[in-house]
């Protein structure tokens, strides 16, 4: 008899076994007939679950050979942590990188000016770039910094914007206020920038306004995370 949870059950069950190390990287899974019986689901349900697992990088299927467990390259972080993307990637044992950088000195939009508490006639630096982990695109980010904070030429050539602000401009980011918004991957063709397989997916948009130790809004960012590469969690305490 099939398990009552069917698809969701088998998908989460296999993920759990891989993440706990009960099924090792490189290990071959049993045949569909054998595995569907073991899990108590139909072969069609198992086949669909394996397709999703392959898309997420948990398994790799080889026609005529079988299905093998792979190591999902997923970056995990607590939502309560304020840490640079560069440091976050490094903590996962991966190499941070940047590509497709576009830096412009422009006038802010009404939203940008209002959030950063600057006049519309002031200039801002808008930085657009794709961040990579081991050369794999993992997020697309847009950062805006009021030009008034940049005393000389804007020579941003570091991976970490936090590091640039502190070391080059003497500005320490103390905290950020964030909004988490699901958006369609086809917005701004971001799915192409992140090399996603389809425009039909959903991205996690993290919009953040960063403040210094004196509560001044320093920069405003929009980070579009690929759900295939990033997982966020929250530690909640009972009160």
């Amino acid at each position: 008899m099939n398990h009552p949870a069917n698809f969701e059950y088998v998908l989460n069950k296999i993920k759990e076994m891989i993440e706990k190390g009960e099924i090792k990287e490189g290990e071959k899974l049993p045949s569909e007939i054998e595995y569907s019986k073991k899990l108590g689901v139909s072969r069609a349900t198992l086949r669909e679950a394996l397709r999703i697992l392959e898309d997420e990088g948990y398994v790799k299927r080889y026609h005529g050979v079988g299905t093998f467990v792979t190591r999902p390259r997923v970056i995990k972080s607590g939502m309560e942590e304020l840490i640079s993307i560069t440091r976050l990637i490094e903590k996962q044992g991966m190499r941070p990188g940047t590509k497709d950088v576009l830096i412009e000195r422009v006038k802010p939009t009404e939203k940008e000016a209002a959030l950063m508490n600057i006049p519309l006639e002031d200039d801002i630096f808008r930085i657009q770039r794709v961040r990579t982990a081991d050369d794999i695109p993992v997020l697309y980010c847009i950062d805006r910094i009021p030009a008034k904070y940049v005393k000389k030429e804007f020579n941003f050539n570091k991976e970490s914007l936090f590091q640039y602000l502190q070391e080059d401009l003497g500005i320490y980011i103390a905290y950020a206020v964030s909004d988490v918004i699901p958006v369609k991957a086809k917005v701004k063709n971001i799915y192409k920038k992140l090399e996603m397989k389809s425009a039909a997916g959903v991205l996690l948009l993290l919009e953040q306004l960063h403040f210094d130790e004196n509560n001044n809004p320093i920069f405003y960012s929009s980070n579009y995370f690929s759900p295939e590469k990033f997982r966020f969690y929250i530690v909640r305490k009972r009160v």
Side-chain angles (χ1 to χ4, degrees):
M1 179 180 295
N2 288 349
H3 192 281
N6 276 337
F7 174 74
E8 184 179 353
Y9 164 76
V10 69
L11 183 64
N12 292 332
K13 180 65 176 177
I14 298 176
K15 277 186 181 181
E16 181 182 350
M17 294 172 72
I18 293 173
E19 290 171 352
K20 288 184 176 180
E22 296 175 13
I23 310 176
K24 305 295 183 182
E25 182 179 359
E27 184 176 337
K28 181 180 179 181
L29 296 181
S31 68
E32 286 186 2
I33 296 176
E34 181 182 350
Y35 212 29
S36 61
K37 288 181 179 179
K38 180 179 179 180
L39 296 172
V41 296
S42 69
R43 288 183 64 185
T45 296
L46 175 63
R47 193 175 296 118
E48 179 61 16
L50 291 175
R51 184 187 68 78
I52 298 297
L53 289 168
E54 185 173 29
D55 286 344
E56 295 183 358
Y58 283 89
V59 301
K60 181 67 176 178
R61 292 186 289 178
Y62 298 94
H63 182 69
V65 179
T67 302
F68 294 81
V69 174
T70 57
R71 181 186 175 190
R73 302 295 282 174
V74 176
I75 300 169
K76 297 182 180 181
S77 175
M79 289 294 291
E80 69 278 5
E81 296 180 306
L82 180 58
I83 182 174
S84 73
I85 296 299
T86 299
R87 182 67 187 124
L88 179 58
I89 293 172
E90 289 175 339
K91 284 180 65 176
Q92 304 294 315
M94 305 173 77
R95 185 181 69 260
T98 303
K99 69 174 189 175
D100 300 338
V101 180
L102 174 63
I103 300 177
E104 300 174 294
R105 181 167 182 149
V106 297
K107 299 298 182 184
T109 64
E110 289 188 7
K111 179 180 179 179
E112 290 169 339
L115 284 171
M116 293 185 287
N117 194 26
I118 59 174
L120 279 170
E121 58 268 21
D122 278 14
D123 284 354
I124 65 169
F125 287 101
R126 189 180 294 130
I127 308 106
Q128 302 178 57
R129 52 191 175 139
V130 174
R131 302 305 309 276
T132 63
D134 287 348
D135 298 322
I136 299 173
V138 293
L139 76 139
Y140 170 67
C141 56
I142 306 172
D143 298 307
R144 303 90 164 168
I145 304 174
K148 66 180 181 180
Y149 293 127
V150 182
K151 306 303 181 184
K152 299 179 181 179
E153 188 177 352
F154 186 64
N155 291 317
F156 176 49
N157 54 13
K158 295 180 170 65
E159 293 289 348
S160 170
L161 185 56
F162 280 18
Q163 183 183 4
Y164 170 77
L165 288 170
Q166 187 167 348
E167 294 181 359
D168 291 53
L169 304 184
I171 299 173
Y172 177 76
I173 299 300
Y175 67 97
V177 177
S178 309
D179 283 329
V180 182
I181 309 164
V183 297
K184 292 182 178 179
K186 65 181 180 180
V187 173
K188 303 178 186 292
N189 285 326
I190 294 175
Y191 76 100
K192 293 182 180 179
K193 300 178 188 294
L194 296 180
E195 298 179 5
M196 297 175 65
K197 296 178 181 178
S198 170
V202 174
L203 299 168
L204 179 65
L205 168 59
L206 187 63
E207 289 208 313
Q208 298 190 108
L209 186 58
H210 299 76
F211 295 82
D212 67 8
E213 297 167 298
N214 297 315
N215 302 317
N216 297 309
I218 301 300
F219 78 96
Y220 163 49
S221 64
S222 301
N223 294 323
Y224 296 85
F225 294 90
S226 165
E228 299 171 0
K229 317 288 174 50
F230 265 93
R231 293 287 187 277
F232 288 100
Y233 58 87
I234 301 174
V235 176
R236 304 176 68 194
K237 296 183 179 180
R238 187 172 180 178
V239 296

